[in-house]
């Protein structure tokens, strides 16, 4: 790929290409077969019965099991009544009736004129259902022929998501593979991330000035990946803090984050061999309210004048409120967030900013444990796959739309069905 | 005409202030934050007292919203999800009011709801304003027949998903505790299939993106949206992919919308104030940079 | 034991939830989790809220610096708590929800918390101005690009931008600032967002895997306890 | 001028917080204390009614007498384990619910983010570079799609961790960071509008709703 690529990288690239080719081949075959199957299943009959009744019922009612679900849905399609017209229609609405286990017909839905499909989502496996639909006029109702009884089926694997499963597995296996090789001692190169290199200095500065460090793990709860990333970084930062024996303060906007943060800080102090220096006061819950929290943190900043501020996690509007106040008290500031909208504010007002993916990589980077770094390498493989797919996809899309090359359209379709999972 | 002169003299006063700041900065005396703050107070509040119509051009995204709305025929049912709270109201409330006024004038049937706890009360506020309009008041519209407020339901995007099955499962009763089945407007409304358009006014999450992922992608719902200026760029990819039909972004989006629908409201008067404050921010950037470049050259 | 159980829990819950996506009968597990989460969060709130009350009471009883503000905090807290839990002056009586307009709880929210939140939010306008003046410098090429892009969008999304370049003929309308702003939003901005999003997707996947496999456990402690 | 008590309270709170811009002062501190106290109380009440009463209690014992969701006991037990934190001796048990949440978040969002962030974005980038309109080439749109493709690719390359940003690779990464900067600039510019709107809203409240100076 690049002139600086060494032997190992090249071998890795070859393997990668081989892996990709095999996957694509498998998927193409699979998708092709599925497309054939889908085509044959489409109901194309549009025979309209020549009815002489005042109001024709809908025809060609087909009921089918909704695929890849937990036996909870049946799909109905029909051809609308010939009396269902856009203008001056005699037909007012359709009514859907359901017969459960050859019992009585029960009205389950009323649909406006023009409707030609319905999904019954109140079915259970173990029962037989048949349906009929009526055309309803001002004072009359005419039923269609009842459909064959059908039982909803439960599927154990969602084949719509099979490509997702495959890609997840490829990347999962790759990450695990790189973690393993790294564990076995293979040296991994990871580029410098300036914001993370600066952490030691930033902590050192606070120590020298005798002022505290402020760490904000975002304003979301522990069920947010950004917060989880923030807390893992807190662990790494705290280890340095414990070594320098600096004061750290972690105000949180969620109780759970406070609990997790205390756990994390305690562990860091233990690992650094200073368990006696830890105290629960290092992390305090303030309030769940976004701006109440900001008001309090701004107050803390102005009163305690931290020498260093970290903002790592999920941030919304408060990003600049925090960063500008931090700046006004002369703190060194290091930020990281995955919210693309807030990155610019941190970029402008902070000294260092981790952008998107860098936030999630930070903890691994800081740990400098080979197995953690290995996972970053796995991430890169994911990017390589994305890049390859985009390149092929763009070429195929261009070829098919600008020059109408058929096989390029096929490639594009295949790629799209892999990546568009819904 | 008078308005123009006042606006011009205002501009002159603020301009002189900015020149003074520039002078100080170039002299190497970076002014204190507080003066910047004070300057902003004047820039934002003074124009609020001025009555002048600023030149606005309706952008294609807003035009698309307008076309989507105007293509609805009388009696069409619109689901309006108010997913914002008072802090975002300056931007979104004018959109909501303008839309509600237009819709009620054109006999659209409105079903309000909210994924944010305070959304429905914003809807009520907007409705109160719209119903006070003389043309709408003359129509003698009734709650439950012409419009209804389903209230708030917690659960974020899961609410959107569940509504694909049935609205009633998420809103057994409306904001006024009337059971779903005894509201005439909702008679026959089972799920999205009976809805002609979903309007979403969104200030974040859950909001437009959740509506796209859970209602448009799954149930092929027709969706138009109004967003805060911050939120809007994230929706652009979806706008381009055709998943959302038109987008109003921020106060200028609201002002354009008011203009296009010919429903003059608060956004039209706020926009002047906004224009001045933007000008101020841009001038601060320029002043800061010019001064910085000049002092750097000296060194 | 102390050390292994949390790791086992993390691993099994993580793996189960990943698999549940692909298996229709277990699809709803994600929703069940969010329900679990809401319940756990309430119990955690006892810890957080309790901690808050304890801190302020100790400040108050020790008459430490700023104890007056601690008193105010506690008073506001218990006022809200009482108004809500005991439904004091509730509009619909004891059976109605407290969030009804007109109830003491909701009115306190409307007239105290709401304006406070909105004002705090509005402070941003001032901070943007001061950041523009102080930090928004064209220090290097990257900063310059950011600055220029921001400038065009700012101009283009306001009536001012329309006025500045309305003289440009329609055949060159792409150079009118509003159109340039739209183009930036739709093309480079969109693409940049995409690159960030793809990166985030992979970053999250990789971090989640590290967490599930127990390689990343700073939040639990690889301690000796 | 407003005669409503609530409006006065709201206006005073507004001014109190604004006073922070001048400097930290007792007025601001009082407002801050009120804000923290009342909002914590507010959330305590909301959590009590929404989560504890509605989701947990009524979930297990539905008021209409239906069969409750026995699964919810799991949530309740994990929640109670959380309270072990209060004791020094068995505090370590509180790690269980935390590890449950972190594990579930990781599992759940791994797929969610992967689909909506990574896969969907890759799919939507696969667009034709050449855009035609009724026979001819639409140059403006074509340039747009070329820029999108180049920007996505170079932006992704910037994020590569296991490769030094040197040579041609570094060059592309550099282009990538430029595009990211355009994105940030655009977000910044767009955001300014919204933030100014907020301030306008507050000023409108002070001068309009409170003082009645604007109609």
């Amino acid at each position: 790929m690049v002139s600086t690529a060494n032997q190992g990288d090249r071998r890795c690239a070859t393997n990668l290409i081989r892996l990709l080719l095999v996957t694509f081949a498998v998927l193409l075959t699979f998708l092709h077969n599925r497309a054939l199957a889908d085509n044959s299943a489409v109901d194309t009959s549009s025979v309209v019965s020549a009815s002489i009744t005042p109001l024709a019922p809908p025809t060609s009612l087909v009921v089918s099991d909704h695929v890849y679900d937990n036996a909870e849905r049946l799909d109905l399609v029909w051809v609308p009544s010939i009396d269902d017209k856009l203008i001056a229609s005699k037909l007012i609405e359709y009514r859907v009736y359901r017969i459960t286990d050859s019992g009585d017909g029960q009205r389950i839905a009323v649909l406006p004129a023009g409707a030609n499909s319905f999904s019954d989502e109140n079915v259970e496996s173990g029962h037989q259902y048949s349906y009929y639909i009526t055309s309803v006029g001002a004072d009359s109702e005419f039923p269609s022929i009842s459909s064959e009884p059908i039982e909803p089926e439960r599927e154990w694997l969602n084949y719509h998501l099979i490509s997702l499963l495959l890609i997840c597995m490829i990347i999962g296996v790759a990450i695990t593979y790189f973690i393993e090789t790294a564990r076995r001692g293979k040296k991994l190169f990871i580029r410098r991330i300036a914001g993370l290199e600066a952490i030691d200095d930033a902590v050192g500065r606070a120590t020298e000035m005798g002022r505290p460090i402020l760490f904000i793990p975002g304003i979301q709860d522990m069920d947010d990946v950004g917060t989880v990333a923030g807390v893992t970084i807190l662990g790494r930062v705290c280890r340095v803090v414990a070594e320098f024996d600096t004061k750290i303060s972690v105000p949180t906007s969620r109780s759970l984050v406070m609990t997790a943060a205390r756990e994390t800080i305690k562990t860091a102090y233990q690992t650094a061999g200073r368990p006696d220096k830890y105290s629960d006061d290092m992390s305090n819950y303030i309030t769940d309210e976004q701006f109440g929290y900001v008001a309090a943190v701004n107050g803390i900043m102005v009163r305690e004048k931290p020498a260093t501020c970290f903002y790592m996690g999920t941030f919304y509007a408060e990003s600049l409120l925090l960063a500008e106040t931090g700046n006004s008290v002369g703190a060194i500031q290091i930020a990281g967030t995955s919210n693309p909208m807030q990155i610019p504010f941190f970029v402008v007002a902070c000294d260092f900013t981790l952008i998107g993916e860098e936030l999630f990589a930070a903890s691994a980077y800081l740990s400098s444990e080979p197995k953690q770094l290995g996972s970053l390498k796995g991430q890169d493989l994911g990017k390589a796959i994305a890049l390859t797919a985009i390149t092929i996809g763009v070429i195929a899309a261009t070829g098919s739309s600008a020059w109408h090359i058929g096989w390029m359209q096929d490639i594009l379709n295949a790629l799209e069905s892999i990546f568009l999972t819904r | 005409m008078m308005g123009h002169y006042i606006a011009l003299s205002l501009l002159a006063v603020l301009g002189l202030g900015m020149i003074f700041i520039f002078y100080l900065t170039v002299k190497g005396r970076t002014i204190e934050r507080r003066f910047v703050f004070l300057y902003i107070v004047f820039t934002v509040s003074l124009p609020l007292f001025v009555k002048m119509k600023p030149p606005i051009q309706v952008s294609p995204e807003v035009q698309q919203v307008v076309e989507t709305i105007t293509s609805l025929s009388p009696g069409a049912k619109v689901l309006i999800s108010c997913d914002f709270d008072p802090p975002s109201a300056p931007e979104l409330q004018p959109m909501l009011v303008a839309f509600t006024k237009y819709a009620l004038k054109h006999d659209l049937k409105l079903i309000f709801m909210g994924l944010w706890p305070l959304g429905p009360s914003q809807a009520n506020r907007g409705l109160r304003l719209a119903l006070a309009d003389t043309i709408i008041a003359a129509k003698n519209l009734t709650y439950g027949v012409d419009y209804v407020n389903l209230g708030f339901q917690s659960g974020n995007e899961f609410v959107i998903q569940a509504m694909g099955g049935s609205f009633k499962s998420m809103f057994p009763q409306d904001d006024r505790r009337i059971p779903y089945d005894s509201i005439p407007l909702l008679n026959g409304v089972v799920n999205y299939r009976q809805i002609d358009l979903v309007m979403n006014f969104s200030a974040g999450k859950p909001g437009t993106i959740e509506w796209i992922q859970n209602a448009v992608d799954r149930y092929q719902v027709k969706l138009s949206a109004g967003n805060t200026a911050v939120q809007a760029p994230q929706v652009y990819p979806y706008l381009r992919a055709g998943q959302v039909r038109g987008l109003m972004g921020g106060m200028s989006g609201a002002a354009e919308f008011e203009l296009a629908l010919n429903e003059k409201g608060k956004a039209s008067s706020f926009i002047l104030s906004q224009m001045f404050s933007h000008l101020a921010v841009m001038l601060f950037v320029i002043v800061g940079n010019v001064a910085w470049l000049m002092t750097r050259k000296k060194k | 034991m102390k050390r292994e159980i949390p790791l086992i829990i993390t691993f099994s819950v993580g793996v189960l939830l990943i698999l549940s996506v692909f298996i229709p009968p277990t699809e709803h597990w994600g929703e069940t989790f969010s329900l679990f989460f809401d319940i756990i969060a309430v119990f955690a709130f006892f810890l957080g809220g309790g901690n808050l009350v304890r801190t302020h009471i100790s400040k108050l009883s020790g008459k430490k610096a700023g104890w007056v503000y601690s008193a105010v905090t506690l008073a506001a807290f218990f006022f809200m708590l009482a108004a809500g839990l005991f439904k004091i002056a509730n509009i619909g009586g004891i059976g109605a929800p407290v969030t009804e307009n007109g109830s003491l709880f909701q009115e306190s929210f409307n007239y105290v918390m709401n304006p406070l939140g909105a004002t705090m939010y509005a402070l941003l306008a001032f901070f943007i101005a001061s950041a523009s003046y102080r930090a928004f410098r064209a220090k290097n090429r990257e900063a310059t690009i950011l600055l220029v892009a921001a400038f065009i969008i700012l101009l283009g999304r306001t009536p001012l931008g329309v006025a500045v370049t309305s003289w440009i003929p329609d055949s060159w309308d792409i150079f009118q600032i509003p159109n340039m702003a739209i183009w930036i939003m739709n093309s480079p901005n969109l693409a940049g967002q995409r690159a960030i999003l793809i990166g985030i997707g992979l970053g999250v996947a990789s971090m989640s895997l590290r967490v599930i496999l127990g390689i990343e456990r700073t939040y639990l402690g690889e301690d000796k306890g | 001028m407003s005669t409503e008590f609530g409006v006065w309270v709201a206006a005073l709170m507004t001014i109190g917080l604004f006073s922070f811009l001048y400097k930290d002062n007792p007025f601001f501190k009082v407002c801050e204390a009120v804000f923290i106290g009342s909002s914590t109380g507010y959330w305590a009440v909301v959590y009590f009614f929404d989560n504890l009463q509605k989701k947990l209690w009524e979930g297990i014992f539905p008021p209409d007498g239906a069969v409750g969701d026995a699964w919810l006991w799991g949530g309740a037990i994990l929640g109670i384990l959380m309270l072990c934190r209060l004791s020094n001796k068995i505090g370590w048990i509180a790690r269980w619910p935390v590890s449950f949440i972190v594990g579930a978040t990781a599992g759940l969002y791994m797929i969610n983010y992967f689909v909506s962030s990574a896969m969907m974005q890759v799919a939507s980038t696969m667009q034709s570079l050449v855009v035609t309109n009724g026979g001819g080439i639409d140059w403006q749109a074509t340039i747009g799609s070329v820029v999108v493709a180049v920007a996505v690719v170079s932006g992704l390359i910037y994020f590569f961790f296991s490769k030094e940003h040197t040579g041609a690779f570094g060059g592309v990464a550099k282009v990538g960071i430029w595009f990211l900067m355009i994105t940030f600039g655009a977000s910044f510019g767009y955001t300014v509008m919204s933030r100014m709107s907020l301030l306008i809203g507050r000023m409108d409240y002070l001068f309009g709703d409170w003082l009645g100076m604007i109609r």
Side-chain angles (χ1 to χ4, degrees):
Chain A
M1 289 185 208
V2 188
S3 54
T4 54
N6 60 26
Q7 202 71 42
D9 273 350
R10 210 169 294 145
R11 200 176 316 130
C12 152
T14 334
N15 283 340
L16 175 104
I17 291 167
R18 219 173 277 157
L19 189 65
L20 275 175
L21 283 178
V22 173
T23 325
F24 278 8
V26 170
L27 281 171
L28 278 174
T29 331
F30 172 76
L31 292 164
H32 182 67
N33 290 345
R34 214 177 67 191
L36 282 182
D38 281 353
N39 278 339
S40 60
V42 170
D43 173 64
T44 48
S45 69
S46 54
V47 190
V48 178
S49 61
S51 168
I52 47 158
T53 45
L55 207 54
T59 52
S60 304
L61 173 63
V62 175
V63 182
S64 54
D65 177 42
H66 187 78
V67 283
Y68 312 136
D69 69 344
N70 186 25
E72 55 207 3
R73 184 166 163 188
L74 291 173
D75 294 327
L76 284 69
V77 278
W78 60 88
V79 174
S81 156
I82 44 167
D83 291 317
D84 184 350
K85 296 192 179 98
L86 216 53
I87 301 158
S89 177
K90 282 185 289 179
L91 186 141
I92 299 168
E93 61 190 25
Y94 293 108
R95 291 182 185 160
V96 182
Y97 290 83
R98 179 174 76 186
I99 304 166
T100 310
D101 297 330
S102 64
D104 285 332
Q106 228 184 352
R107 192 171 88 189
I108 55 166
V110 179
L111 305 174
N116 68 345
S117 66
F118 178 74
S119 287
D120 184 1
E121 290 171 19
N122 284 315
V123 294
E124 281 169 23
S125 71
H127 295 283
Q128 297 273 336
Y129 297 93
S130 101
Y131 296 84
Y132 62 90
I133 295 170
T134 59
S135 300
V136 181
D139 48 6
S140 56
E141 187 172 352
F142 296 91
S144 71
I145 300 165
S146 297
S147 66
E148 287 293 311
I150 183 172
E151 188 188 329
E153 276 174 49
R154 169 175 292 148
E155 285 87 3
W156 288 97
L157 188 58
N158 187 341
Y159 280 94
H160 282 322
L161 297 177
I162 200 81
S163 59
L164 172 66
L165 185 62
L166 274 175
I167 292 186
C168 279
M169 274 163 70
I170 292 173
I171 291 179
V173 166
I175 292 175
T176 327
Y177 166 79
F178 284 117
I179 291 173
E180 269 310 308
T181 35
R183 216 204 294 259
R184 269 192 243 112
K186 188 169 176 282
K187 199 106 182 78
L188 286 177
F189 170 82
I190 298 293
R191 77 168 158 89
R192 248 181 104 251
I193 299 177
L196 297 173
E197 296 284 318
I199 288 181
D200 282 8
D201 289 346
V203 175
R205 178 173 180 265
T207 319
E208 274 166 30
M209 297 173 79
R211 298 207 316 222
I213 290 169
L214 197 65
F215 190 105
I216 313 289
I219 58 147
Q220 290 291 87
D221 215 330
M222 285 308 285
D223 65 339
D224 176 86
V225 270
T227 315
V228 175
V231 171
T232 59
I233 298 169
L234 172 66
R236 308 286 171 200
V237 171
C238 273
R239 234 170 263 182
V240 186
V241 171
E243 274 159 25
F244 280 95
D245 196 14
T246 319
K247 211 179 143 220
I248 188 165
S249 166
V250 187
T252 71
S253 97
R254 307 285 164 146
S255 306
L256 257 173
V257 181
M258 176 192 84
T259 317
R262 285 180 172 177
E263 212 69 63
T264 310
I265 303 170
K266 200 176 184 176
T267 309
Y269 272 76
Q270 277 168 355
T271 317
R274 299 264 172 96
D276 52 309
K277 296 279 180 191
Y278 169 79
S279 107
D280 269 354
D281 289 340
M282 289 174 171
S283 178
N284 280 306
Y285 164 77
I286 292 183
T287 171
D288 274 47
E289 183 73 21
Q290 183 184 13
F291 291 109
Y293 176 71
V294 178
V297 173
N298 275 356
I300 293 174
M301 282 185 187
V302 187
R303 283 156 223 155
E304 294 184 7
K305 303 218 174 343
T308 306
C309 298
F310 291 96
Y311 313 103
M312 300 281 173
T314 304
F315 290 89
Y316 294 96
E318 59 284 348
S319 59
L320 190 69
L321 284 174
L322 297 172
E324 266 294 295
T325 311
N327 183 281
S328 75
V329 299
I332 287 250
Q333 309 196 86
I334 304 179
T337 184
S338 59
N339 183 351
M341 300 313 303
Q342 301 304 333
I343 299 172
F345 294 101
F346 282 140
V347 168
V348 167
C350 292
D351 300 275
F352 299 97
T353 310
L354 305 179
I355 300 167
E357 192 180 358
E358 292 174 342
L359 172 73
F360 299 103
S363 165
Y365 181 92
L366 288 171
S367 76
S368 62
E369 292 165 26
K371 47 185 180 175
Q372 297 243 23
L373 296 180
S375 73
L376 297 187
K377 188 111 185 159
Q379 243 162 285
D380 280 358
L381 178 82
K383 267 165 272 177
I385 294 180
L387 279 176
T388 319
I390 288 174
T391 315
I392 298 176
V394 166
I395 293 172
T398 311
S400 66
S401 97
W403 293 286
H404 308 287
I405 302 172
W407 57 270
M408 285 205 163
Q409 183 65 44
D410 295 341
I411 293 180
L412 182 64
N413 291 346
L415 278 174
E416 275 183 346
S417 54
I418 293 169
F419 283 90
L420 282 176
T421 48
R422 284 203 186 116
Chain B
M1 218 46 232
M2 191 61 191
H4 276 85
Y5 287 120
I6 299 174
L8 280 177
S9 45
L10 209 72
L11 204 63
V13 172
L14 293 174
L16 281 176
M18 188 56 86
I19 290 170
F20 186 59
I21 292 174
F22 180 64
Y23 173 76
L24 287 180
T25 317
V26 173
K27 282 277 164 202
R29 288 168 51 197
T30 311
I31 59 157
E32 230 190 299
R33 278 154 45 102
R34 292 176 214 175
F35 289 105
V36 177
F37 296 157
L38 191 70
Y39 190 85
I40 290 295
V41 170
F42 283 119
T43 334
V44 169
S45 42
L46 289 183
L48 287 178
F49 296 91
V50 177
K51 296 257 177 288
M52 194 189 110
K53 190 178 166 289
I56 340 178
Q57 205 176 44
V58 180
S59 60
E61 307 94 278
V62 175
Q63 190 57 39
Q64 204 190 347
V65 178
V66 172
E67 278 160 16
T68 311
I69 296 168
T70 45
S71 70
L72 296 173
S73 43
K77 293 192 177 79
V78 186
L79 178 72
I80 301 131
S81 188
C82 304
D83 306 333
F84 64 99
D85 51 7
S88 331
E91 292 172 86
L92 297 176
Q93 196 70 9
M95 299 180 194
L96 175 69
V97 171
F99 171 77
T100 310
K101 278 188 180 171
Y102 175 87
L104 292 179
K105 278 179 193 167
H106 292 78
D107 299 316
L108 304 181
K109 305 289 177 196
L110 306 182
I111 305 165
F112 291 91
M113 61 167 278
L115 297 175
W116 287 37
L118 293 174
S121 65
Q122 292 297 136
N124 284 338
R125 233 172 264 185
L127 264 168
R128 225 173 298 147
L129 224 93
L131 291 170
D133 185 284
T134 43
I135 302 175
I136 298 170
K139 280 177 180 275
N140 261 333
L141 301 176
T142 18
Y143 182 87
V145 178
D146 301 290
Y147 59 94
V148 67
N149 190 347
L150 292 176
F152 160 73
Q153 180 55 266
S154 63
N156 303 341
E157 56 265 41
F158 297 117
V159 175
I160 310 177
Q161 276 174 31
M163 286 172 73
S166 108
F167 283 12
K168 199 179 147 191
S169 68
M170 285 291 106
F171 298 99
Q173 42 181 241
D174 74 350
D175 201 31
R176 302 182 178 185
R177 315 169 146 276
I178 305 170
Y180 190 94
D181 288 327
S182 36
I183 299 166
L185 173 55
L186 301 173
N187 194 4
V189 178
V190 180
N191 52 32
Y192 296 124
R193 262 179 262 268
Q194 288 80 42
I195 296 294
D196 298 284
L197 175 70
V198 176
M199 278 301 289
N200 173 235
F201 298 102
S202 146
K205 193 179 157 187
T208 306
I209 293 178
E210 282 69 29
W211 276 100
I212 293 169
Q213 287 171 351
N214 296 290
V216 178
D217 291 359
R218 288 189 185 206
Y219 301 105
Q220 289 76 47
V221 165
K222 211 160 135 194
L223 177 77
S224 283
N227 276 221
T228 51
V230 185
Q231 176 74 4
Q234 285 177 327
V235 182
Y236 266 91
Y238 301 99
L239 180 72
R240 226 184 156 194
Q243 285 157 298
V244 52
R245 294 166 198 232
L247 179 69
M248 301 172 266
M251 200 171 276
S252 60
E256 290 166 24
F257 188 60
E258 284 179 356
L259 181 79
L261 287 184
N262 202 13
E263 297 285 355
K264 202 168 173 306
K266 279 217 154 160
S268 306
S269 61
F270 286 168
I271 192 84
L272 192 69
S273 174
Q274 201 191 40
M275 217 171 118
F276 273 93
S277 57
H278 286 176
L279 195 65
V281 169
M282 283 186 280
L283 287 175
F284 275 125
V285 174
I286 294 173
V287 166
N289 272 291
V290 171
W292 178 74
L293 282 175
M294 283 168 76
T295 46
R296 198 178 61 158
K297 264 189 196 139
K298 266 183 218 158
K299 277 175 196 163
Chain C
M1 252 293 266
K2 276 189 193 173
R3 203 184 128 154
E4 272 81 33
I5 290 179
L7 290 179
I8 294 169
I9 294 177
T10 309
F11 178 78
S12 35
V13 174
V15 170
L16 279 179
L17 276 176
I18 290 177
L19 291 180
S20 76
V21 174
F22 300 99
I23 302 168
T26 60
E27 257 173 0
H28 63 279
W29 283 7
E31 290 160 50
T32 311
F33 162 69
S34 73
L35 213 54
F36 269 41
F37 178 80
D38 287 345
I39 294 166
I40 299 173
V42 181
F43 286 94
F45 187 81
F46 285 111
L47 301 178
N51 181 59
L52 182 89
V53 171
R54 213 180 47 220
T55 320
H56 285 288
I57 286 183
S58 82
K59 252 191 191 174
L60 188 61
S61 58
K63 294 258 162 113
K64 286 183 200 153
W67 63 272
V68 184
Y69 307 112
S70 291
V72 175
T73 309
L74 288 172
F77 173 72
F78 286 115
F79 171 79
M80 265 323 232
L81 204 64
L85 291 186
F86 305 126
K87 302 194 173 177
I88 297 167
N90 207 29
I91 208 82
I94 206 81
V98 282
T99 46
E100 207 103 331
N101 270 325
S103 67
L104 179 63
F105 182 74
Q106 188 61 33
E107 292 299 295
S108 316
F109 177 85
N110 287 347
Y111 288 107
V112 178
M113 273 175 71
N114 240 339
L116 283 170
T119 309
M120 207 60 214
Y121 203 169
L123 286 186
L124 259 178
F126 296 106
F127 287 164
I128 281 183
S130 76
S132 308
Y133 175 62
R134 177 189 65 75
F136 223 47
R137 301 278 156 87
K139 279 175 243 166
N140 49 36
R141 197 172 293 165
E142 282 78 25
T144 314
I145 293 174
L146 193 152
L147 198 90
V148 171
F151 225 85
I152 294 174
I153 299 290
L154 255 179
L155 263 179
R157 302 291 306 174
T158 53
L160 191 75
V162 183
V164 174
T165 49
S166 55
W167 53 270
I168 294 177
D170 277 354
S171 49
W172 293 94
D173 64 351
I174 181 67
F175 291 106
Q176 287 176 354
I177 286 182
N179 293 328
M180 266 162 81
I182 291 170
W183 187 82
I184 289 180
M185 292 308 293
N186 281 338
S187 295
N189 169 60
L190 175 95
Q193 300 244 15
R194 268 188 193 155
I196 295 174
L197 282 176
I198 296 172
I200 288 174
L202 289 163
V204 169
S206 164
M207 190 194 75
S208 302
L209 216 58
R210 288 201 301 271
V211 166
I212 292 171
L213 294 179
I215 294 171
E216 175 66 75
R217 50 187 170 199
T218 38
Y219 66 99
L220 283 178
E222 38 211 315
D223 54 314
K224 323 99 200 205
Chain D
M1 199 174 283
S2 174
T3 51
E4 228 179 294
F5 175 67
V7 175
W8 274 82
V9 173
L12 289 179
M13 292 284 164
T14 305
I15 296 173
L17 280 194
F18 274 148
S19 73
F20 177 72
L21 291 172
Y22 178 65
K23 68 179 213 193
D24 192 27
N25 63 76
F27 192 10
F28 170 75
K29 284 186 191 168
V30 169
C31 291
E32 181 199 323
V34 169
F35 202 176
I36 296 171
S38 62
S39 60
T40 311
Y42 175 84
W43 284 104
V45 172
V46 169
Y47 281 149
F48 178 81
F49 285 118
D50 278 8
N51 296 6
L52 218 51
Q53 191 192 36
K54 220 172 171 180
K55 284 183 181 151
L56 181 63
W57 186 255
E58 291 182 4
I60 297 178
F61 308 107
D64 56 2
V67 184
D69 185 356
W71 274 106
L72 291 172
W73 283 111
I77 291 168
L78 284 170
I80 291 165
L81 288 183
M82 198 79 221
L83 296 180
C84 291
R85 219 347 100 222
L86 290 170
S87 146
N88 272 333
K89 225 171 178 182
I90 50 166
W92 53 273
I93 294 181
R95 283 183 191 162
W96 296 359
V98 173
S99 52
F100 174 84
I101 288 171
V102 173
T105 306
L108 201 62
Y109 287 93
M110 182 177 158
I111 301 289
N112 268 9
Y113 269 88
F114 199 70
V115 173
S116 59
S117 292
M119 307 252 293
M120 294 289 263
Q121 298 303 326
V122 169
S124 43
T125 311
M126 296 176 196
Q127 300 285 338
S128 170
L129 292 179
V130 182
V131 184
T132 51
N133 58 350
I137 291 178
D138 181 347
W139 285 107
Q140 204 169 311
T142 301
I143 292 170
S145 16
V146 172
V147 166
V148 168
V150 171
V152 173
V153 168
S154 58
L156 268 180
I157 285 187
Y158 165 77
F159 284 116
F160 266 82
F161 294 115
S162 58
K163 231 166 187 345
E164 188 72 87
H165 285 180
T166 47
F169 190 84
V172 180
K174 191 107 194 152
V175 176
I177 191 78
W178 292 345
F179 277 113
L180 292 181
M181 285 298 157
I182 295 182
T183 306
F184 298 151
S187 299
F188 185 95
Y190 218 85
T191 311
V192 170
M193 297 199 331
S194 157
R195 303 315 189 215
M196 289 301 166
S197 317
L198 289 165
L199 185 55
I200 295 168
R202 280 336 281 165
M203 291 300 179
D204 184 50
Y205 189 85
L206 286 182
F207 291 116
D209 296 18
W210 182 43
L211 296 175
M213 288 161 74
I214 319 171
R215 276 290 105 201

